[in-house]
Amino acid sequence: MGLLEEFNDYRAKMNEKILAEDNKVIKRFFNLDTNAYSEGALDVKSKEMIGLACSMVLRCDDCIKYHLEQCFKSGVNRKEIFEVFSIATLIGGSIVIPHLRRAVEFWEELENQ
């Protein structure tokens, strides 16, 4: 199983378990996240690139993978993704570099699927 399948399978399984608990606050938070990334004054592609940069600065590998896949699905190309990587690394500093490495590995997996 590749990185992409492993990540998506685990994410889906755990989200199902979490949402099955029927906790109103958690469900509302998940819904807020979904709505924040839908089309609005900014297009989905731009929002996903912003989400990716923020996730890299915050050093959340799961969030990085999620936003990388959404960026890929929304048509972000390799040059654009590396510009996002450069901004996130500039803002976050050298501590972002390990996450950058894993992000490049995951992006290549997306490109090669």
Side-chain angles (χ1 to χ4, degrees), residues 9-102:
D9 288 351
Y10 178 77
R11 185 175 181 278
K13 179 180 85 173
M14 295 312 298
N15 282 352
E16 185 177 320
K17 285 183 179 195
I18 291 165
L19 294 173
E21 291 298 319
D22 203 28
N23 180 283
K24 181 171 52 173
V25 173
I26 291 172
K27 281 187 169 186
R28 285 184 176 174
F29 187 85
F30 274 49
N31 185 272
L32 178 64
D33 183 70
T34 299
N35 285 311
Y37 287 95
S38 62
E39 195 80 23
L42 293 174
D43 61 15
V44 172
K45 181 178 173 181
S46 297
K47 288 181 177 188
E48 289 299 340
M49 289 189 289
I50 293 167
L52 173 59
C54 292
S55 297
M56 291 182 74
V57 171
L58 291 170
R59 302 185 306 273
C60 176
D61 283 332
D62 277 6
C63 300
I64 292 167
K65 288 176 182 174
Y66 175 79
H67 289 294
L68 280 168
E69 186 172 6
Q70 297 310 307
C71 281
F72 186 80
K73 288 178 177 177
S74 66
V76 175
N77 65 42
R78 190 173 183 86
K79 284 200 174 291
E80 291 170 322
I81 211 72
F82 271 85
E83 285 194 18
V84 174
F85 291 163
S86 68
I87 292 167
T89 304
L90 175 67
I91 293 169
S94 62
I95 193 71
V96 172
I97 292 172
H99 303 278
L100 173 62
R101 290 183 187 119
R102 289 187 289 274

